[in-house]
Structures are given as C-alpha cells and as structure tokens.
Amino acid sequence: MIFAHDTETALVSATVLVNTAAWRADDEDTLLSVADLERFLDEQGWSGARSGDEAELAAVRDLRPRLRRLWELGESELVDSVNGVLSEAGALPQLVDHDGLGWHIHAVPQDAPLATRMAVEAAMAFIDVVRSGELDRLKTCSATDCDDVVVDLSRNRSKRFCEGGCGNRENVRAYRDRQRTD
Ligand SMILES: [Zn+2]
Ligand SMILES: [Zn+2]
C-alpha cells in the first residue's frame, strides 16, 4: 500500500467520479440521472446522508471539473486548492470507525451535503499525495483517444491507462499494428 487505506479509497473514488464525465466529444457522461448517482454511490461504498434529488446530482456533477483540476495543477496551486476546499468546508478531521472499515478520517459530518463531503474527502487524500511527494502518481490515461484521469497506486509506478478498458484496447491496437508491418 502506498498511502493509508482511506486515502487510497478516496483517491480511487475521486478518480472514478471524475471519469464519469465526458472529457472528449466521443466520450460518454455516465452521471446523468439521480439513479446514475445512486448507483455510483453504492458501488463506491459512500456512506452518510443523501438527498437523492436533482440539486444533489447537479452539485456532484459540478464537482467533477473542480476535482479534475487537482490532477492538472502544479504543486503550489494544488496546495492552495486543497487548503481552500478544507477551509471553505470548515473541515475538522476526526477519527471514526463505521461499517467495519477500521479507523479512518472524516473531516466533515456525515450529514453535510454529499458534494461537500466528496470534495473534502478528496482534499484530505490529496494532502497525503502532496506531503509524500507523490504527485507523479496523478496521471492522465495514455491511450491516444482518452483523457480520463488515473491514480497510479502500483508499487513500480507502471499504471498508464484508466479503468475504462483502454489498456486492452491499446494492446489490441499495438497487435494489429505489428500484424500490418509483418
Ligand atoms: Zn467513513
Ligand atoms: Zn483511458
């Protein structure tokens, strides 16, 4: 494990959330309805309050470009952004244990708005990335036709592709290219 378990969970969850957005014209937005959000939250194991309405969906959708910026900022701007999210939300880190997850950090109450909790959880995780000097683990998918973000939690920093099947597609493409030149 590169980071604490809750940090890694938060980084992966933020990555999946960012990648629900369409970052290219030929990409597909998979967070279009309240039902889509419900599914995302269940898959990612999000606890805490949900209003399950259009306003909540809109707030979470709006959060995606802001979270994506965290992958693109240099260190000092990233620090400003993370600190900004935390102070704006009045974050107060507390150790908690629920649902058999073991001790982990919540920095806003479970009844805070979902998009706020998502932003703060990501910011808390990015704290660890910054102070460990691991910014190079924040990547963009190496596939030529994909702009999704990647968090590389592999020991040898070898992860290049997003979870959307790009690794397989690139392998197939490389194989076909080899066949063609043979
Ligand atoms: Zn928790
Ligand atoms: Zn990709």
Side-chain angles (χ1 to χ4, degrees):
M1 206 181 282
I2 310 298
F3 302 106
H5 67 100
D6 52 341
T7 297
E8 296 204 347
T9 302
L11 290 171
V12 168
S13 187
T15 303
V16 176
L17 177 60
V18 167
N19 290 343
T20 62
W23 298 112
R24 302 166 61 101
D26 56 355
D27 198 2
E28 195 189 345
D29 193 323
T30 57
L31 200 63
L32 295 171
S33 67
V34 168
D36 289 341
L37 178 57
E38 186 85 24
R39 197 175 323 116
F40 169 85
L41 295 172
D42 290 342
E43 281 171 6
Q44 295 299 313
W46 274 92
S47 59
R50 305 177 186 179
S51 61
D53 55 19
E54 292 291 335
E56 184 175 70
L57 173 67
V60 172
R61 287 174 53 82
D62 287 350
L63 179 61
R64 300 180 301 178
R66 286 168 53 206
L67 283 183
R68 192 196 165 95
R69 290 270 294 151
L70 300 178
W71 265 258
E72 292 160 353
L73 295 173
E75 189 174 68
S76 63
E77 296 96 329
L78 177 56
V79 166
D80 288 344
S81 181
V82 164
N83 285 343
V85 168
L86 294 174
S87 63
E88 210 175 286
L92 176 65
Q94 297 280 293
L95 275 166
V96 295
D97 186 5
H98 61 87
D99 299 308
L101 294 172
W103 292 111
H104 60 284
I105 300 177
H106 283 188
V108 278
Q110 285 283 69
D111 58 357
L114 177 64
T116 302
R117 289 188 289 121
M118 287 174 149
V120 167
E121 186 166 303
M124 292 296 292
F126 274 81
I127 282 183
D128 280 2
V129 175
V130 171
R131 66 181 171 164
S132 311
E134 298 281 1
L135 258 70
D136 61 351
R137 293 187 179 276
L138 306 171
K139 304 177 177 182
T140 307
C141 182
S142 292
T144 47
D145 57 352
C146 179
D147 289 338
D148 280 2
V149 294
V150 173
V151 58
D152 183 356
L153 298 174
S154 67
R155 203 150 288 282
N156 57 359
R157 301 165 192 271
S158 58
K159 189 172 169 67
R160 293 173 56 218
F161 299 106
C162 73
E163 300 295 330
C166 285
N168 283 334
R169 273 198 297 279
E170 284 291 298
N171 285 339
V172 169
R173 200 172 296 145
Y175 175 76
R176 289 203 185 118
D177 285 350
R178 278 198 301 278
Q179 299 263 304
R180 215 171 288 140
T181 52
D182 280 348

Coordinates of all heavy atoms in Angstrom, one line a residue, residues 38-131:
E38 N -27.0 7.4 -7.6 CA -27.3 6.3 -6.6 C -26.4 5.1 -6.8 O -25.8 4.6 -5.9 CB -28.8 5.9 -6.8 CG -29.3 5.0 -5.7 CD -29.8 5.7 -4.5 OE1 -30.1 6.9 -4.6 OE2 -29.8 5.1 -3.4
R39 N -26.3 4.7 -8.1 CA -25.5 3.5 -8.4 C -24.0 3.8 -8.1 O -23.4 3.0 -7.5 CB -25.7 3.2 -9.9 CG -25.3 1.8 -10.3 CD -25.6 1.4 -11.7 NE -26.8 1.9 -12.2 CZ -27.0 2.8 -13.2 NH1 -25.9 3.3 -13.8 NH2 -28.2 3.3 -13.5
F40 N -23.6 5.0 -8.5 CA -22.2 5.3 -8.3 C -21.9 5.3 -6.8 O -20.9 4.7 -6.3 CB -21.9 6.7 -8.8 CG -20.6 7.3 -8.4 CD1 -19.4 7.0 -9.1 CD2 -20.5 8.1 -7.3 CE1 -18.2 7.5 -8.7 CE2 -19.2 8.6 -6.8 CZ -18.1 8.3 -7.5
L41 N -22.8 5.9 -6.0 CA -22.5 5.9 -4.5 C -22.5 4.5 -3.9 O -21.7 4.3 -3.0 CB -23.6 6.8 -3.9 CG -23.7 8.3 -4.3 CD1 -24.9 8.9 -3.7 CD2 -22.4 9.0 -3.8
D42 N -23.4 3.7 -4.4 CA -23.4 2.3 -3.8 C -22.2 1.6 -4.2 O -21.6 0.9 -3.4 CB -24.7 1.6 -4.3 CG -26.0 2.2 -3.7 OD1 -25.8 2.9 -2.7 OD2 -27.1 1.9 -4.2
E43 N -21.8 1.7 -5.5 CA -20.6 1.0 -6.0 C -19.4 1.4 -5.3 O -18.5 0.6 -5.0 CB -20.4 1.2 -7.5 CG -21.3 0.3 -8.3 CD -21.3 0.7 -9.8 OE1 -20.5 1.6 -10.2 OE2 -22.1 0.1 -10.6
Q44 N -19.3 2.7 -5.0 CA -18.1 3.3 -4.3 C -18.2 3.2 -2.8 O -17.3 3.7 -2.1 CB -17.9 4.7 -4.8 CG -17.6 4.9 -6.2 CD -16.3 4.1 -6.6 OE1 -15.3 4.2 -5.9 NE2 -16.3 3.3 -7.7
G45 N -19.3 2.7 -2.3 CA -19.4 2.5 -0.8 C -19.6 3.8 -0.1 O -19.1 3.9 1.1
W46 N -20.2 4.8 -0.7 CA -20.4 6.1 0.0 C -21.4 6.0 1.1 O -22.6 5.6 0.9 CB -20.8 7.2 -1.0 CG -19.6 7.8 -1.6 CD1 -19.1 7.4 -2.8 CD2 -18.8 8.9 -1.1 NE1 -18.0 8.2 -3.1 CE2 -17.8 9.1 -2.0 CE3 -18.9 9.7 0.1 CZ2 -16.9 10.1 -1.8 CZ3 -18.0 10.7 0.3 CH2 -17.0 10.9 -0.7
S47 N -21.1 6.3 2.4 CA -22.0 6.3 3.5 C -22.4 7.8 3.7 O -22.0 8.6 2.9 CB -21.3 5.8 4.7 OG -20.2 6.5 5.0
G48 N -23.2 8.0 4.7 CA -23.7 9.3 5.0 C -24.9 9.8 4.3 O -25.5 9.0 3.5
A49 N -25.3 11.0 4.5 CA -26.6 11.5 4.1 C -26.6 11.7 2.5 O -25.7 12.0 1.9 CB -26.9 12.8 4.7
R50 N -27.8 11.4 2.0 CA -28.0 11.6 0.5 C -29.4 12.2 0.4 O -30.3 11.8 1.1 CB -28.1 10.3 -0.3 CG -26.9 9.4 -0.2 CD -27.1 8.1 -1.0 NE -26.0 7.2 -0.8 CZ -26.0 6.0 -1.3 NH1 -27.0 5.6 -2.1 NH2 -25.0 5.2 -1.1
S51 N -29.5 13.3 -0.4 CA -30.9 13.8 -0.6 C -31.6 13.1 -1.8 O -32.8 13.1 -1.9 CB -30.8 15.3 -0.7 OG -30.1 15.7 -1.9
G52 N -30.8 12.6 -2.7 CA -31.4 11.9 -3.8 C -32.2 12.7 -4.7 O -33.1 12.2 -5.4
D53 N -31.9 14.0 -4.8 CA -32.6 14.9 -5.7 C -31.7 15.5 -6.8 O -30.5 15.3 -6.8 CB -33.3 16.0 -4.9 CG -32.3 16.8 -4.0 OD1 -31.1 16.7 -4.3 OD2 -32.8 17.5 -3.1
E54 N -32.4 16.3 -7.7 CA -31.7 16.9 -8.8 C -30.6 17.8 -8.4 O -29.5 18.0 -9.0 CB -32.6 17.6 -9.7 CG -33.6 16.6 -10.5 CD -32.9 15.7 -11.5 OE1 -31.8 16.1 -12.0 OE2 -33.4 14.6 -11.8
A55 N -30.8 18.6 -7.2 CA -29.9 19.5 -6.8 C -28.6 18.8 -6.3 O -27.5 19.3 -6.6 CB -30.5 20.3 -5.6
E56 N -28.7 17.7 -5.7 CA -27.6 17.0 -5.3 C -26.8 16.4 -6.5 O -25.6 16.5 -6.5 CB -28.0 15.8 -4.4 CG -26.9 15.0 -3.8 CD -27.4 13.9 -2.8 OE1 -28.0 12.9 -3.3 OE2 -27.2 14.1 -1.6
L57 N -27.5 15.9 -7.4 CA -26.9 15.4 -8.7 C -26.1 16.6 -9.3 O -25.0 16.4 -9.8 CB -28.0 14.9 -9.6 CG -27.5 14.5 -11.0 CD1 -26.5 13.3 -11.0 CD2 -28.7 14.2 -12.0
A58 N -26.7 17.8 -9.4 CA -26.1 18.9 -10.1 C -24.8 19.3 -9.3 O -23.8 19.6 -10.0 CB -27.1 20.1 -10.1
A59 N -24.9 19.3 -8.0 CA -23.7 19.7 -7.2 C -22.5 18.7 -7.4 O -21.4 19.1 -7.5 CB -24.1 19.7 -5.7
V60 N -22.9 17.4 -7.5 CA -21.9 16.4 -7.7 C -21.3 16.5 -9.1 O -20.1 16.4 -9.3 CB -22.4 14.9 -7.5 CG1 -21.4 13.9 -7.9 CG2 -22.8 14.8 -6.0
R61 N -22.2 16.7 -10.1 CA -21.7 16.9 -11.5 C -20.8 18.1 -11.6 O -19.7 18.1 -12.3 CB -22.9 17.1 -12.4 CG -23.7 15.8 -12.7 CD -24.9 16.0 -13.5 NE -24.6 16.7 -14.8 CZ -24.2 16.2 -15.9 NH1 -24.0 14.9 -15.9 NH2 -23.9 16.9 -17.0
D62 N -21.1 19.2 -10.9 CA -20.3 20.4 -10.9 C -18.9 20.2 -10.2 O -18.0 20.9 -10.5 CB -21.0 21.6 -10.2 CG -22.1 22.1 -11.0 OD1 -22.2 21.7 -12.2 OD2 -22.9 22.9 -10.5
L63 N -18.9 19.3 -9.3 CA -17.7 19.0 -8.6 C -16.6 18.3 -9.5 O -15.4 18.5 -9.3 CB -17.9 18.1 -7.4 CG -16.8 17.6 -6.5 CD1 -16.1 18.8 -5.9 CD2 -17.3 16.6 -5.5
R64 N -17.1 17.6 -10.5 CA -16.1 16.9 -11.4 C -15.0 17.7 -12.0 O -13.9 17.3 -11.9 CB -16.9 16.0 -12.4 CG -17.9 15.0 -11.7 CD -18.6 14.2 -12.7 NE -19.4 15.0 -13.6 CZ -20.1 14.5 -14.6 NH1 -20.2 13.2 -14.8 NH2 -20.9 15.3 -15.4
P65 N -15.3 18.8 -12.7 CA -14.2 19.6 -13.3 C -13.3 20.2 -12.2 O -12.1 20.3 -12.4 CB -15.0 20.7 -14.1 CG -16.4 20.6 -13.7 CD -16.7 19.3 -13.1
R66 N -13.9 20.5 -11.0 CA -13.1 21.0 -9.9 C -12.1 20.0 -9.4 O -10.9 20.2 -9.1 CB -13.9 21.5 -8.8 CG -14.6 22.9 -9.1 CD -15.7 23.2 -8.2 NE -15.2 23.2 -6.8 CZ -16.0 23.0 -5.7 NH1 -17.3 22.8 -5.8 NH2 -15.5 23.0 -4.5
L67 N -12.6 18.7 -9.3 CA -11.7 17.6 -8.9 C -10.7 17.3 -10.0 O -9.5 17.1 -9.7 CB -12.5 16.4 -8.6 CG -13.3 16.3 -7.3 CD1 -14.0 14.9 -7.2 CD2 -12.4 16.5 -6.1
R68 N -11.1 17.4 -11.2 CA -10.1 17.1 -12.3 C -8.9 18.1 -12.3 O -7.8 17.7 -12.6 CB -10.8 17.2 -13.6 CG -9.9 16.6 -14.7 CD -10.3 16.9 -16.1 NE -9.1 16.6 -17.0 CZ -9.0 15.4 -17.6 NH1 -9.9 14.5 -17.5 NH2 -7.9 15.1 -18.3
R69 N -9.2 19.3 -11.9 CA -8.2 20.3 -11.8 C -7.0 19.9 -10.9 O -5.9 20.2 -11.1 CB -8.7 21.7 -11.3 CG -9.7 22.4 -12.2 CD -8.9 23.4 -13.1 NE -8.3 24.5 -12.3 CZ -7.2 25.1 -12.7 NH1 -6.5 24.7 -13.8 NH2 -6.7 26.1 -12.0
L70 N -7.4 19.1 -9.9 CA -6.4 18.6 -8.9 C -5.3 17.8 -9.6 O -4.2 17.7 -9.1 CB -7.0 17.9 -7.7 CG -8.1 18.6 -6.9 CD1 -8.6 17.7 -5.8 CD2 -7.4 19.9 -6.3
W71 N -5.7 17.1 -10.7 CA -4.7 16.3 -11.5 C -3.8 17.2 -12.3 O -2.8 16.8 -12.8 CB -5.5 15.3 -12.4 CG -5.7 14.0 -11.8 CD1 -5.0 12.9 -12.1 CD2 -6.7 13.6 -10.8 NE1 -5.5 11.8 -11.4 CE2 -6.5 12.2 -10.6 CE3 -7.7 14.2 -10.2 CZ2 -7.3 11.5 -9.7 CZ3 -8.5 13.5 -9.3 CH2 -8.3 12.2 -9.1
E72 N -4.3 18.4 -12.6 CA -3.6 19.2 -13.6 C -2.7 20.3 -12.9 O -1.9 20.9 -13.6 CB -4.7 19.8 -14.5 CG -5.3 18.8 -15.4 CD -6.6 19.2 -16.0 OE1 -7.1 20.3 -15.6 OE2 -7.2 18.5 -16.8
L73 N -3.0 20.6 -11.7 CA -2.3 21.7 -11.0 C -0.9 21.4 -10.7 O -0.6 20.2 -10.3 CB -3.0 22.2 -9.8 CG -4.4 22.8 -10.0 CD1 -5.1 23.0 -8.6 CD2 -4.4 24.1 -10.7
G74 N 0.0 22.4 -10.7 CA 1.3 22.2 -10.1 C 1.2 22.2 -8.6 O 0.2 22.4 -8.0
E75 N 2.3 21.8 -7.9 CA 2.3 21.6 -6.5 C 1.7 22.8 -5.7 O 0.9 22.6 -4.9 CB 3.7 21.2 -6.0 CG 3.7 20.7 -4.6 CD 5.1 20.2 -4.1 OE1 6.0 21.1 -4.0 OE2 5.2 19.0 -3.9
S76 N 2.2 24.0 -6.0 CA 1.8 25.1 -5.1 C 0.3 25.5 -5.3 O -0.4 25.8 -4.4 CB 2.7 26.3 -5.3 OG 2.6 26.8 -6.6
E77 N -0.1 25.4 -6.6 CA -1.5 25.6 -6.8 C -2.4 24.5 -6.3 O -3.5 24.8 -5.8 CB -1.8 25.8 -8.4 CG -1.2 26.9 -9.0 CD 0.1 26.5 -9.7 OE1 0.8 25.5 -9.2 OE2 0.5 27.0 -10.7
L78 N -1.9 23.3 -6.3 CA -2.6 22.2 -5.7 C -2.8 22.4 -4.2 O -3.9 22.2 -3.7 CB -1.9 20.9 -6.0 CG -2.5 19.6 -5.4 CD1 -4.0 19.4 -5.9 CD2 -1.7 18.4 -5.9
V79 N -1.7 22.8 -3.6 CA -1.8 23.1 -2.1 C -2.8 24.2 -1.8 O -3.7 24.0 -0.9 CB -0.4 23.6 -1.6 CG1 -0.5 24.2 -0.2 CG2 0.6 22.4 -1.6
D80 N -2.8 25.3 -2.6 CA -3.8 26.3 -2.4 C -5.2 25.8 -2.6 O -6.1 26.1 -1.8 CB -3.6 27.5 -3.4 CG -2.3 28.3 -3.1 OD1 -1.8 28.1 -2.0 OD2 -1.9 29.0 -4.0
S81 N -5.4 25.0 -3.6 CA -6.8 24.5 -3.9 C -7.2 23.5 -2.8 O -8.4 23.7 -2.3 CB -6.7 23.7 -5.2 OG -8.0 23.2 -5.5
V82 N -6.4 22.6 -2.3 CA -6.7 21.7 -1.2 C -7.0 22.5 0.0 O -8.0 22.3 0.7 CB -5.6 20.7 -1.0 CG1 -5.7 20.0 0.3 CG2 -5.5 19.7 -2.2
N83 N -6.2 23.4 0.4 CA -6.4 24.2 1.6 C -7.7 25.0 1.5 O -8.4 25.2 2.4 CB -5.2 25.2 1.8 CG -4.0 24.5 2.4 OD1 -4.1 23.4 2.9 ND2 -2.8 25.1 2.3
G84 N -8.0 25.5 0.3 CA -9.2 26.3 0.0 C -10.4 25.4 0.3 O -11.4 25.9 0.9
V85 N -10.5 24.2 -0.3 CA -11.6 23.3 -0.1 C -11.8 23.0 1.4 O -12.9 23.1 1.9 CB -11.4 22.0 -0.8 CG1 -12.4 20.9 -0.4 CG2 -11.4 22.2 -2.3
L86 N -10.7 22.8 2.1 CA -10.8 22.4 3.5 C -11.3 23.6 4.4 O -12.1 23.4 5.3 CB -9.5 21.9 4.0 CG -9.1 20.5 3.4 CD1 -7.7 20.1 3.8 CD2 -10.1 19.4 3.7
S87 N -10.8 24.8 4.1 CA -11.2 25.9 5.0 C -12.6 26.3 4.6 O -13.4 26.6 5.5 CB -10.2 27.1 4.9 OG -10.2 27.6 3.6
E88 N -13.0 26.3 3.3 CA -14.3 26.6 2.9 C -15.4 25.7 3.6 O -16.4 26.2 4.0 CB -14.4 26.4 1.4 CG -15.4 27.3 0.6 CD -15.2 27.0 -0.9 OE1 -14.2 27.5 -1.5 OE2 -16.1 26.4 -1.4
A89 N -15.0 24.4 3.7 CA -16.0 23.5 4.3 C -15.9 23.5 5.8 O -16.6 22.7 6.5 CB -15.7 22.1 3.7
G90 N -15.0 24.2 6.4 CA -14.8 24.2 7.9 C -14.4 22.8 8.3 O -14.8 22.3 9.4
A91 N -13.5 22.2 7.6 CA -13.1 20.8 7.9 C -12.4 20.6 9.2 O -11.6 21.5 9.6 CB -12.1 20.3 6.8
L92 N -12.9 19.6 9.9 CA -12.3 19.3 11.2 C -12.1 17.8 11.3 O -13.0 17.0 11.5 CB -13.3 19.7 12.3 CG -13.0 19.3 13.8 CD1 -11.7 20.1 14.2 CD2 -14.1 19.6 14.7
P93 N -10.8 17.4 11.0 CA -10.5 15.9 10.9 C -10.8 15.2 12.2 O -10.5 15.7 13.3 CB -9.0 15.9 10.7 CG -8.7 17.3 10.1 CD -9.6 18.2 10.8
Q94 N -11.5 14.1 12.1 CA -11.9 13.3 13.3 C -11.6 11.8 12.9 O -12.0 11.4 11.7 CB -13.4 13.4 13.6 CG -13.8 14.8 14.1 CD -13.4 15.1 15.5 OE1 -13.9 14.5 16.4 NE2 -12.4 16.0 15.7
L95 N -11.1 11.0 13.8 CA -11.0 9.6 13.5 C -12.4 8.9 13.8 O -13.0 9.2 14.8 CB -10.0 8.9 14.4 CG -8.5 9.0 13.9 CD1 -7.5 8.7 15.1 CD2 -8.3 8.1 12.8
V96 N -12.8 8.1 12.9 CA -14.1 7.4 13.0 C -14.0 6.0 12.6 O -13.0 5.6 11.9 CB -15.2 8.1 12.2 CG1 -15.5 9.5 12.7 CG2 -14.9 8.1 10.7
D97 N -14.9 5.1 13.0 CA -14.9 3.8 12.6 C -16.4 3.4 12.4 O -17.2 3.5 13.3 CB -14.3 2.9 13.6 CG -14.2 1.4 13.1 OD1 -14.5 1.2 12.0 OD2 -13.7 0.5 13.9
H98 N -16.8 3.0 11.2 CA -18.2 2.6 11.0 C -18.2 1.6 9.9 O -17.2 1.5 9.1 CB -19.0 3.8 10.6 CG -18.6 4.5 9.4 ND1 -19.0 4.1 8.1 CD2 -17.7 5.5 9.2 CE1 -18.4 4.9 7.2 NE2 -17.6 5.7 7.8
D99 N -19.2 0.8 9.8 CA -19.4 -0.2 8.8 C -18.2 -1.1 8.6 O -17.9 -1.6 7.5 CB -19.7 0.5 7.4 CG -21.0 1.3 7.5 OD1 -22.0 0.7 7.9 OD2 -20.9 2.5 7.2
G100 N -17.5 -1.4 9.7 CA -16.3 -2.3 9.7 C -15.2 -1.9 8.8 O -14.4 -2.7 8.4
L101 N -15.0 -0.6 8.6 CA -14.0 0.0 7.8 C -12.6 0.2 8.5 O -11.6 0.4 7.9 CB -14.4 1.3 7.2 CG -15.6 1.3 6.2 CD1 -16.1 2.7 5.8 CD2 -15.2 0.5 4.9
G102 N -12.7 0.1 9.8 CA -11.5 0.4 10.6 C -11.3 1.9 10.7 O -12.1 2.7 10.1
W103 N -10.4 2.3 11.5 CA -10.2 3.7 11.8 C -9.8 4.5 10.5 O -8.9 4.1 9.8 CB -9.1 4.0 12.9 CG -9.5 3.5 14.2 CD1 -9.0 2.4 14.9 CD2 -10.6 4.0 15.0 NE1 -9.7 2.2 16.1 CE2 -10.6 3.2 16.2 CE3 -11.5 5.1 14.9 CZ2 -11.6 3.4 17.2 CZ3 -12.4 5.3 15.9 CH2 -12.4 4.5 17.1
H104 N -10.6 5.5 10.3 CA -10.3 6.4 9.1 C -10.7 7.8 9.5 O -11.3 8.1 10.5 CB -10.9 5.9 7.9 CG -12.4 5.8 7.9 ND1 -13.0 4.8 8.5 CD2 -13.3 6.5 7.3 CE1 -14.3 4.9 8.4 NE2 -14.6 6.0 7.6
I105 N -10.4 8.7 8.6 CA -10.7 10.2 8.9 C -11.9 10.6 8.2 O -12.1 10.4 7.0 CB -9.5 11.0 8.4 CG1 -8.2 10.6 9.2 CG2 -9.8 12.5 8.7 CD1 -7.0 11.4 8.7
H106 N -12.8 11.3 8.9 CA -13.8 12.1 8.3 C -13.5 13.6 8.7 O -13.1 13.8 9.9 CB -15.2 11.8 8.9 CG -15.8 10.5 8.3 ND1 -17.1 10.2 8.5 CD2 -15.3 9.6 7.5 CE1 -17.4 9.0 7.9 NE2 -16.3 8.7 7.3
A107 N -13.6 14.5 7.8 CA -13.3 15.9 8.2 C -14.5 16.8 8.2 O -14.4 18.0 8.5 CB -12.2 16.4 7.3
V108 N -15.7 16.2 7.7 CA -16.9 16.9 7.8 C -18.0 15.9 8.3 O -17.8 14.7 8.0 CB -17.4 17.6 6.5 CG1 -16.7 18.9 6.3 CG2 -17.2 16.7 5.3
P109 N -19.0 16.4 8.9 CA -20.0 15.4 9.5 C -20.7 14.6 8.4 O -20.8 15.1 7.2 CB -21.0 16.3 10.2 CG -20.3 17.6 10.4 CD -19.3 17.8 9.3
Q110 N -21.2 13.5 8.7 CA -21.9 12.6 7.8 C -23.2 13.2 7.2 O -23.7 12.7 6.2 CB -22.2 11.2 8.4 CG -21.0 10.3 8.6 CD -20.6 9.6 7.3 OE1 -20.1 10.3 6.4 NE2 -20.8 8.3 7.2
D111 N -23.7 14.2 7.9 CA -24.9 14.8 7.3 C -24.6 16.1 6.5 O -25.6 16.8 6.1 CB -25.9 15.1 8.5 CG -25.4 16.0 9.6 OD1 -24.2 16.4 9.5 OD2 -26.1 16.4 10.5
A112 N -23.4 16.4 6.3 CA -23.0 17.5 5.4 C -23.4 17.1 4.0 O -23.5 16.0 3.7 CB -21.5 17.8 5.5
P113 N -23.7 18.2 3.1 CA -24.1 17.9 1.8 C -23.1 16.9 1.1 O -21.9 17.0 1.3 CB -24.1 19.2 1.1 CG -24.3 20.2 2.2 CD -23.6 19.6 3.4
L114 N -23.6 16.0 0.3 CA -22.8 15.0 -0.4 C -21.6 15.6 -1.2 O -20.5 15.1 -1.0 CB -23.7 14.2 -1.3 CG -23.0 13.1 -2.1 CD1 -22.4 12.0 -1.2 CD2 -23.9 12.5 -3.1
A115 N -21.8 16.6 -2.0 CA -20.8 17.2 -2.8 C -19.7 17.8 -1.9 O -18.5 17.7 -2.3 CB -21.3 18.2 -3.8
T116 N -20.1 18.3 -0.8 CA -19.1 18.9 0.2 C -18.3 17.8 0.7 O -17.0 17.8 0.8 CB -19.8 19.6 1.3 OG1 -20.6 20.7 0.8 CG2 -18.8 20.2 2.3
R117 N -18.9 16.7 1.1 CA -18.2 15.5 1.7 C -17.2 14.9 0.7 O -16.1 14.6 1.0 CB -19.1 14.5 2.2 CG -19.8 15.0 3.5 CD -20.7 13.9 4.2 NE -21.8 13.5 3.4 CZ -22.1 12.3 2.9 NH1 -21.3 11.3 3.2 NH2 -23.2 12.1 2.3
M118 N -17.7 14.9 -0.6 CA -16.8 14.4 -1.7 C -15.6 15.2 -1.9 O -14.5 14.8 -2.0 CB -17.6 14.2 -3.0 CG -18.6 13.1 -3.0 SD -19.6 13.2 -4.5 CE -19.9 11.4 -4.7
A119 N -15.8 16.6 -1.9 CA -14.7 17.5 -2.1 C -13.7 17.4 -1.0 O -12.5 17.4 -1.2 CB -15.3 18.9 -2.3
V120 N -14.2 17.3 0.2 CA -13.4 17.3 1.4 C -12.6 16.0 1.5 O -11.4 16.0 1.8 CB -14.2 17.6 2.7 CG1 -13.4 17.2 3.9 CG2 -14.6 19.0 2.8
E121 N -13.3 14.9 1.2 CA -12.6 13.6 1.2 C -11.5 13.6 0.2 O -10.4 13.1 0.5 CB -13.6 12.5 1.0 CG -12.9 11.1 1.2 CD -13.9 9.9 1.3 OE1 -14.7 10.0 2.2 OE2 -13.7 9.0 0.5
A122 N -11.7 14.1 -1.0 CA -10.7 14.2 -2.0 C -9.5 15.1 -1.5 O -8.3 14.7 -1.6 CB -11.2 14.7 -3.3
A123 N -9.9 16.2 -1.0 CA -8.8 17.1 -0.5 C -8.0 16.5 0.6 O -6.7 16.6 0.6 CB -9.5 18.4 0.0
M124 N -8.6 15.8 1.5 CA -7.9 15.1 2.6 C -6.9 14.1 2.0 O -5.7 13.9 2.4 CB -8.8 14.4 3.5 CG -9.7 15.3 4.4 SD -8.7 16.4 5.6 CE -8.1 15.1 6.7
A125 N -7.3 13.4 0.9 CA -6.5 12.4 0.3 C -5.3 13.1 -0.4 O -4.2 12.6 -0.4 CB -7.3 11.5 -0.7
F126 N -5.6 14.2 -1.1 CA -4.5 14.9 -1.8 C -3.5 15.5 -0.8 O -2.4 15.7 -1.2 CB -5.1 16.0 -2.7 CG -5.5 15.5 -4.0 CD1 -6.7 14.8 -4.2 CD2 -4.7 15.6 -5.1 CE1 -7.1 14.3 -5.5 CE2 -5.1 15.1 -6.4 CZ -6.3 14.4 -6.5
I127 N -3.9 15.7 0.4 CA -2.9 16.2 1.4 C -1.8 15.1 1.5 O -0.6 15.5 1.5 CB -3.6 16.3 2.8 CG1 -4.4 17.6 2.9 CG2 -2.5 16.2 3.9 CD1 -5.0 17.8 4.3
D128 N -2.2 13.8 1.6 CA -1.2 12.8 1.6 C -0.3 12.7 0.4 O 0.9 12.4 0.5 CB -1.9 11.4 1.9 CG -2.3 11.2 3.3 OD1 -2.1 12.1 4.1 OD2 -2.8 10.1 3.6
V129 N -1.0 12.9 -0.8 CA -0.2 12.8 -2.0 C 0.9 13.9 -2.0 O 2.0 13.7 -2.4 CB -1.2 13.0 -3.2 CG1 -0.4 13.1 -4.5 CG2 -2.2 11.9 -3.3
V130 N 0.5 15.1 -1.6 CA 1.4 16.3 -1.7 C 2.5 16.1 -0.6 O 3.7 16.2 -1.0 CB 0.7 17.6 -1.4 CG1 1.7 18.7 -1.2 CG2 -0.3 17.9 -2.5
R131 N 2.2 15.8 0.6 CA 3.2 15.7 1.6 C 4.1 14.5 1.5 O 5.2 14.5 2.0 CB 2.6 15.8 3.0 CG 1.8 14.7 3.4 CD 1.2 14.9 4.8 NE 0.3 13.8 5.1 CZ -0.2 13.5 6.2 NH1 0.2 14.1 7.3 NH2 -1.0 12.5 6.4

